Amino acid sequence: MLLVLCVDLDDDLGRKTGLSTPVVGRQRVEDAAVALATADPEDSDVNVLFQGIQVHDELLESEDEEVEVAAVTGLEGSDVKANRAIGDEIDTVLASLSTGEPVHAIVITDGAQDESVLPVIRSRVPIDGVRRVVVRQAQNLESMYYTMKQVLADPETRGTILVPLGILLLIYPFVTIASFFDVPGAVVLGLISALLGLYTLFRGLGLESAVDEAADRARNVLYAGRVTIITYVAAAALLVVGGVRGVELLETVSESVAGDPPAGLVLATLVHGAVEWFAAAGITSSLGQVTDEYLHDRFKWRYLNAPFYVLAIAIVLYALSGFFLPEGVVGVQTFYLPGLAVALTVGTLLGVLSTLTFAVAESRYPTGSDGENEQPA
């Protein structure tokens, strides 16, 4: 069944004629159109009602299925309330149709503003077409006005257009104010150009969504009382200290070596000086993550492997880097082949033993999250 739906968003039909809406049926819609034309011949909704009658008659002749026409109205003033009112009237119209066939709608409006209700209509009945009826002399003017109104009402579009325009308009007053404080105008122009350029790049690369998501995650972490936010800050500080320690040790080793140190020696020095601090950062962050998992009832024994793995890797890297460094340098722990072998063995055994230990603990003492995941036999 096809339903020709005449939309009057601001309820001119009800307010000016006193008729109750919705109006269903060709004869009733025609009577309503005549009543509205009599009350206000200049109202564009008169054209909508007569256009709906014409479309109804054309479809009745060309289509084999049932065709009905109805007029629905909203409310004056508020677009949100008007859309809701139209949705309620559409529900009333659909309930009054005595048909077992699926209903499809042909929407008739008097301009771009009334088409804002299309999502409300589409949520209730499929739309096969939209016919806009506007007085020819006013069509371009109304469309342009409504487009500008929608652009200014949309926060995203408004920010994209109005913010750069506002910055450009502020150039002259800023330069004028700067001249009273003996600030060169070129400095002001440079700062405004930099701000405008950064804003353009920010919008062009779509970084606003990433920043909003990062801010939301940070706020959620703060409000959720997660330990990781503290351990991550501490780990970041330890990483910075480790980097500085590695650079300082590189300067010390470079002074003890004739000429420029080779790339291998530079890498070994940086690792040797920073690995202890990096390991402390890794252990700190992993313990914070394990604590959060425990507090949120998601703890598993295998999570405790992380700090032992970090410690095992740090032992191996510390001994391996010390094997390549010269002896007698302040801050360097030199390793010979036997010491390197012991360190590699200790690191390997530490990782293997921690894996086996927590695997056995997980099998014998399952945590709450393991018990939830177990399926009944």
Side-chain angles (χ1 to χ4, degrees):
M1 181 179 185
L2 288 176
L3 174 63
V4 181
L5 205 58
C6 304
V7 177
D8 174 14
L9 188 63
D10 52 1
D11 193 25
D12 288 331
L13 178 60
R15 289 185 293 106
K16 296 178 180 179
T17 66
L19 296 174
S20 60
T21 56
V23 180
V24 183
R26 187 195 184 285
Q27 188 58 49
R28 292 188 60 194
V29 172
E30 183 177 354
D31 294 342
V34 173
L36 181 59
T38 303
D40 187 358
E42 296 181 352
D43 196 315
S44 59
D45 288 311
V46 175
N47 299 322
V48 172
L49 296 174
F50 282 118
Q51 180 67 48
I53 295 171
Q54 181 187 19
V55 172
H56 170 272
D57 294 343
E58 291 176 352
L59 292 175
L60 202 59
E61 294 178 0
S62 60
E63 300 292 335
D64 295 332
E65 54 185 322
E66 295 182 69
V67 183
E68 187 59 277
V69 60
V72 293
T73 63
L75 293 173
E76 185 182 16
S78 173
D79 288 344
V80 175
K81 293 182 179 179
N83 289 344
R84 290 180 177 176
I86 286 182
D88 293 338
E89 293 201 357
I90 292 174
D91 292 336
T92 303
V93 172
L94 295 176
S96 67
L97 297 177
S98 56
T99 178
E101 301 177 0
V103 180
H104 294 255
I106 307 293
V107 181
I108 314 294
T109 72
D110 66 346
Q113 184 172 8
D114 284 0
E115 292 179 10
S116 64
V117 78
L118 289 180
V120 177
I121 301 174
R122 189 176 289 112
S123 68
R124 289 164 169 80
V125 59
I127 298 177
D128 284 358
V130 179
R131 183 78 60 87
R132 183 193 298 184
V133 183
V134 183
V135 179
R136 288 186 179 89
Q137 291 85 345
Q139 182 172 6
N140 293 334
L141 181 60
E142 181 177 352
S143 298
M144 181 177 65
Y145 164 76
Y146 185 69
T147 301
M148 293 177 61
K149 181 179 177 183
Q150 288 295 95
V151 167
L152 295 178
D154 182 15
E156 183 175 355
T157 310
R158 183 173 63 230
T160 303
I161 296 177
L162 296 184
V163 171
L165 181 61
I167 294 176
L168 291 176
L169 293 176
L170 287 173
I171 291 178
Y172 180 74
F174 279 168
V175 172
T176 304
I177 294 172
S179 63
F180 290 106
F181 298 95
D182 296 328
V183 177
V187 175
V188 178
L189 290 175
L191 291 175
I192 294 178
S193 299
L195 290 175
L196 188 58
L198 290 173
Y199 176 81
T200 304
L201 287 174
F202 192 81
R203 301 288 297 189
L205 296 175
L207 297 178
E208 63 275 6
S209 58
V211 172
D212 291 341
E213 291 176 2
D216 289 339
R217 285 197 300 269
R219 185 167 55 252
N220 292 334
V221 167
L222 286 173
Y223 291 157
R226 297 177 67 89
V227 180
T228 48
I229 189 172
I230 302 173
T231 57
Y232 284 165
V233 171
L238 290 171
L239 290 175
V240 172
V241 174
V244 173
R245 179 71 183 93
V247 172
E248 291 178 349
L249 186 61
L250 177 61
E251 294 176 354
T252 304
V253 173
S254 299
E255 293 174 357
S256 64
V257 177
D260 295 332
L265 184 60
V266 172
L267 179 61
T269 305
L270 292 174
V271 171
H272 196 78
V275 68
E276 297 172 277
W277 298 94
F278 284 7
I283 293 173
T284 301
S285 61
S286 62
L287 288 178
Q289 187 66 42
V290 169
T291 303
D292 274 344
E293 296 297 327
Y294 177 78
L295 294 176
H296 290 83
D297 294 328
R298 297 192 300 264
F299 174 75
K300 294 181 182 294
W301 286 103
R302 70 175 75 104
Y303 294 163
L304 293 175
N305 283 317
F308 289 96
Y309 287 168
V310 171
L311 182 60
I313 294 172
I315 292 173
V316 171
L317 291 178
Y318 186 75
L320 187 62
S321 59
F323 179 75
F324 294 99
L325 294 179
E327 187 179 3
V329 179
V330 178
V332 173
Q333 177 63 49
T334 305
F335 284 81
Y336 297 100
L337 196 57
L340 177 62
V342 171
L344 295 176
T345 302
V346 170
T348 303
L349 289 177
L350 182 61
V352 172
L353 289 176
S354 69
T355 302
L356 293 175
T357 300
F358 295 123
V360 172
E362 194 164 277
S363 63
R364 294 190 177 183
Y365 308 102
T367 59
S369 58
D370 291 331
E372 293 175 358
N373 294 330
E374 290 180 358
Q375 299 295 328

